[in-house]
Amino acid sequence: RHNGAEQAGNKSDSYLDGVLVCLWMGKENGMKDKKGNRFKKIYTQGKVEGIQIWVDRETGVNYLVNFAGYRGGITPLLDAEGKPVVTPMEKW
């Protein structure tokens, strides 16, 4: 789970945590921060409805998360050529 400073304070964060848990289940040796978090939220727009961008610290792949209350979806963030956006590992 992400720390309290990163939480937007809405119930959709719990849902998103569940979605992200599904992404990394079964992966054992991912790059994690000091608190053991594999994913880092780098952008949030909106409170009850909106979007977020998360970075997988193991692969560098960026994910676009759409949320509306208890509903939401997640997909890799794509560049203009349709390829996944990858954050260089040096940033972590």
Side-chain angles (χ1 to χ4, degrees):
R1 292 186 51 94
H2 50 275
N3 67 33
E6 291 178 308
Q7 287 183 331
N10 63 43
K11 293 179 182 178
S12 65
D13 275 341
S14 295
Y15 172 80
L16 296 176
D17 286 345
V19 171
L20 292 172
V21 164
C22 292
L23 287 174
W24 78 73
M25 285 179 69
K27 304 259 184 167
E28 296 179 15
N29 296 318
M31 293 206 32
K32 298 180 180 174
D33 65 7
K34 294 176 186 173
K35 295 183 180 181
N37 297 322
R38 176 171 168 181
F39 291 85
K40 172 140 179 88
K41 181 172 38 173
I42 61 169
Y43 179 80
T44 299
Q45 177 180 311
K47 296 263 183 200
V48 177
E49 295 182 7
I51 60 170
Q52 297 176 338
I53 297 175
W54 291 73
V55 176
D56 180 340
R57 294 174 194 261
E58 182 177 313
T59 64
V61 173
N62 289 236
Y63 292 91
L64 179 65
V65 178
N66 175 10
F67 61 91
Y70 291 107
R71 300 179 321 264
I74 185 167
T75 186
L77 183 63
L78 304 178
D79 65 14
E81 297 176 359
K83 297 178 182 175
V85 174
V86 178
T87 300
M89 299 309 285
E90 300 85 53
K91 289 202 148 213
W92 311 112

